[in-house]
Amino acid sequence: MNIDLTAMPATIDLLHAGLAAIALVFFILMLVKGGSKTPAPTEAQPEEPATVAVPEAHLTKQLKTANPDAALQLLSLLQQEARFIDFVQEELTGFSDAEVGAAARVVHEGGQKVLKEYFCLEAVRDEQEESRITLPDGFDATTVRLTGNVVGHAPFTGTLVHRGWKASEVKLPKLAEGHDAHIVAAAEVEL
Amino acid sequence: MSETDNHASRYAVGIDLGTTHCVLSYVELDSEQDPAPHHVLPIAQLTSPGSVDEKPQLPSFIYQAHEAELAEGDVALPWNTYPDTIVGTMARELGSKTPIRLVSSAKSWLCHGGVDRHASFLPLNSPEEVAKVSPIEATFQYLLHLRNAWDHRFPDAALVDQDVTITVPASFDPAARDLTAEAAQRIGFKHLTLLEEPQAAVYSWLESCADSWRNQVSIGDVILVVDIGGGTTDLSLVAVTEDEGNLNLNRVAVGEHILLGGDNMDLALAYQVNAKLAQEGKTLAPWQIVAITHSCRDAKEVLLTDPDVHSVPIVVPSRGSKMLGSTLRTELTKDEVMNSLVDGFFPHVGIHDHPAQQARGALKQMGLPYAQDPAILRHLAAFLCRQQAAANELLGQNEGEFIKPTAILFNGGVLKAPMLAERVMTVINNWLNEAGAEQAKQLAGTDLDLAVAKGAAYYGSVRQGKGVRIRGGIASAYYVGIESAMPAIPGMAPPIQALCVAPFGMEEGSAAKGPNQEFGLIVGEPVRFRFFGSTTRRDDQAGTLLDYWEPGELEELPEIQANLPVEGRQPGEVVPVELASRVTEVGTLCLEAIPSDGGTKWQVELDVRAG
């Protein structure tokens, strides 16, 4: 009997765990299937990580997964215009600074073109760097990060170390449906 | 206009159909704001396989892709998943690596009388399996892309219903205008007008000054428009007159078609850099020269704009994934740019320093008739001397050896470089100084890249009665060549007479017919005429017969052809006809053969098919 009493909940637990696992597998399968039907790369909608909702039920804000398509697209643009991947993937040892410099110009010129064309970038703070600024009570902590001797209450006065960057507009090209964004640069064969 | 019309146009649209790129600008016609704000259409286009972006310019290129070259869906556009033709940025990019499949410079071919412009021969000299298009088809494709991009953005206001003005070079011959109109009519535009590009630039200037233009120019002024684009240089003269107290603008002369522009300058720099690298023992592959040309364009703009920059590095990365150690690096210095561009294309020349006359008849070889003398200012000097009497009728006798402009309006991306613009001003003012005339002033206020498209859109509202209209009419008189009936003399071409069929300055919607001058046309057989134009003979009326003209006074144009159908007549029968001309509302010249017995008239073709 004793054995029965202890065994019963153990088997039930195992059963529940098994059922839960199967449910999870089905859930993931369903999501993957549904996802492949509507990749809709133009609308960069983050997928809700609903599969892991149970253990995180107590969190009020859920973490979102970034859409890899936009990242791959940006990588592709940087490679196309600035040879970004070629440059970063290469080993620098053994090359002179002049040679690195020549290649860096390509990356710089092209990278600048990409930033200019697809983003509107502006400084978060207009003040001069290294000048003293005061942050009022209720300042936006996502746009300004406090560092160093962070004690007391707002208003905070400190030195503006970096002005920050804000992308006020992102205008990435639209991607054709079914376009494989993972190919960030196609191989080239000259005939 | 048709009964479906009702003048439903909501927008006045201007299309700058350029040699290297197209721009579409528009204004709302019944806008409550005055002046109505201008918009430039962001043109959705493929920028790389599978990627669509909106850009203000549509590069005028078509890429004839191989069927294995692009994956399915790589060419999808917002309005068409499987378009037949790749137009725009991606076409240019793919074509830079595979030039045999790239259609370019269709506009220059459109005005090349030595080829059959309806024949499909572009891309030129490419292998047989590459599909070919005609210059007119390419023009149609650019317009079609613009129409689709517009209609996608404005589903409720189709482009064909709008008031559309397409710009053409002032130097386009009647056949080239006709072909542009033909391509546009295939699109189905209901309210179409052609406008000369330099005039469009003037309209843009008028609009940007609003009412203050009357303070900037006065009666007796002669405005010289210098339009240096990517592929061509276009010149025009506009005289300012008075009529019942109002200032009027009259376009009195246009220049020859000069195939010389910013692209030539970039190429000149690229070859200079190439020579420099060759001295260092580095030989360049063709793709590297293309890359250098792009870099030179950017470097040129910096060097000619910023006085503090003395050299700009030019780098060409390797083609493979290894960049370090194989990236070519050199420099372009300010001195080099000054030497080859400023002194090469804009040298200090005298007013009598003209380009060497190009030998005609060399058109048999297939290729574009690029200007042989790169010195744009020599072409300008020749134009001013040639048009010495252009404003005599309006402004009184000009005693000098050349017409003296009092104001200069620049247009085209090349003249954005202050150093080039200054040089042009300096040289013109030197000419004026030597002739004892006052200095010309520069008219400012236009956007050199967008002025043509904007001016064309503005012209749409001008045609509705808002604002001043430039008078002009056709900028040439046109003649049909008649071979004299005289015994053949060995070694001498039979003398030819020229019969004026369309007088200088004929306005849109007007017609001209000379005194009875009959031709015998053979029914059922095409009859060709030699055709001439003159930008300097302003007083010849329709029907004037010339026995003699000064060298260079008449320029021979491609032949024209009258083809009388057999209908109701005997094949081989000779029918006496008279030639009449009219300028259509669109702005094209139309020649008609009218039978003397009063039968149906036939159109004379300006663009003769080969054969």
Side-chain angles (χ1 to χ4, degrees), chain B residues 125-139:
Chain B
N125 301 333
S126 61
E128 225 165 78
E129 65 159 87
V130 176
K132 306 286 197 301
V133 296
S134 64
I136 186 168
E137 169 73 20
T139 308

Side-chain angles (χ1 to χ4, degrees), chain B residues 33 221-222 241-242 303 367 410 417 470 608:
Chain B
Q33 285 164 271
D221 268 338
V222 175
T241 58
E242 189 187 21
L303 286 168
F410 286 140
I470 303 170
V608 180

Side-chain angles (χ1 to χ4, degrees), chain B residues 200-206 208 409-411 443-451:
Chain B
V202 175
Y203 278 117
S204 178
W205 171 73
L206 286 172
S208 71
L409 179 67
F410 286 140
N411 190 45
L443 302 178
T446 55
D447 177 332
L448 299 186
D449 280 328
L450 301 175

Side-chain angles (χ1 to χ4, degrees), chain B residues 173-295:
Chain B
D173 67 23
R177 276 170 170 264
D178 213 25
L179 294 169
T180 308
E182 184 184 328
Q185 265 142 6
R186 264 178 68 197
I187 298 284
F189 292 122
K190 288 177 193 151
H191 321 286
L192 174 72
T193 318
L194 300 182
L195 178 67
E196 292 170 5
E197 284 160 13
Q199 279 196 50
V202 175
Y203 278 117
S204 178
W205 171 73
L206 286 172
E207 190 189 21
S208 71
C209 306
D211 286 334
S212 77
W213 73 270
R214 291 180 180 85
N215 306 329
Q216 298 199 40
V217 292
S218 49
I219 306 160
D221 268 338
V222 175
I223 305 170
L224 167 68
V225 188
V226 181
D227 179 357
I228 307 178
T232 54
T233 295
D234 214 4
L235 305 167
S236 286
L237 289 169
V238 176
V240 183
T241 58
E242 189 187 21
D243 185 26
E244 293 172 3
N246 291 323
L247 284 188
N248 275 337
L249 295 172
N250 310 267
R251 199 269 288 105
V252 290
V254 302
E256 284 178 35
H257 200 64
I258 309 167
L259 278 187
L260 188 59
D263 293 353
N264 305 61
M265 297 173 198
D266 300 333
L267 260 182
L269 287 179
Y271 278 93
Q272 191 166 2
V273 169
N274 185 16
K276 198 152 73 169
L277 285 166
Q279 277 182 354
E280 294 167 20
K282 292 170 189 153
T283 42
L284 298 190
W287 68 265
Q288 284 173 312
I289 296 184
V290 173
I292 283 184
T293 312
H294 287 298
S295 314

Side-chain angles (χ1 to χ4, degrees), chain B residues 53-134:
Chain B
D53 201 3
E54 290 182 336
K55 288 174 180 287
Q57 299 184 327
L58 177 75
S60 314
F61 295 89
I62 294 176
Y63 187 74
Q64 305 284 49
H66 187 274
E67 69 259 25
E69 208 175 332
L70 294 164
E72 201 182 311
D74 270 357
V75 294
L77 286 167
W79 53 85
N80 187 353
T81 319
Y82 303 104
D84 300 328
T85 316
I86 302 169
V87 176
T89 305
M90 182 166 103
R92 188 184 61 194
E93 296 306 314
L94 292 176
S96 68
K97 290 181 177 171
T98 311
I100 54 163
R101 292 183 173 273
L102 183 69
V103 177
S104 61
S105 298
K107 186 180 181 183
S108 303
W109 286 106
L110 210 53
C111 140
H112 184 356
V115 296
D116 177 357
R117 292 165 272 195
H118 278 89
S120 303
F121 61 86
L122 296 173
L124 194 65
N125 301 333
S126 61
E128 225 165 78
E129 65 159 87
V130 176
K132 306 286 197 301
V133 296
S134 64

Side-chain angles (χ1 to χ4, degrees), chain A residues 83 90 117 174 176 179 190, chain B residues 50 52 55 318-320 323:
Chain A
R83 305 285 297 273
E90 228 173 321
E117 210 156 325
K174 293 183 177 130
H179 178 78
E190 190 177 59
Chain B
V52 172
K55 288 174 180 287
S318 67
R319 285 204 287 186
M323 281 177 88

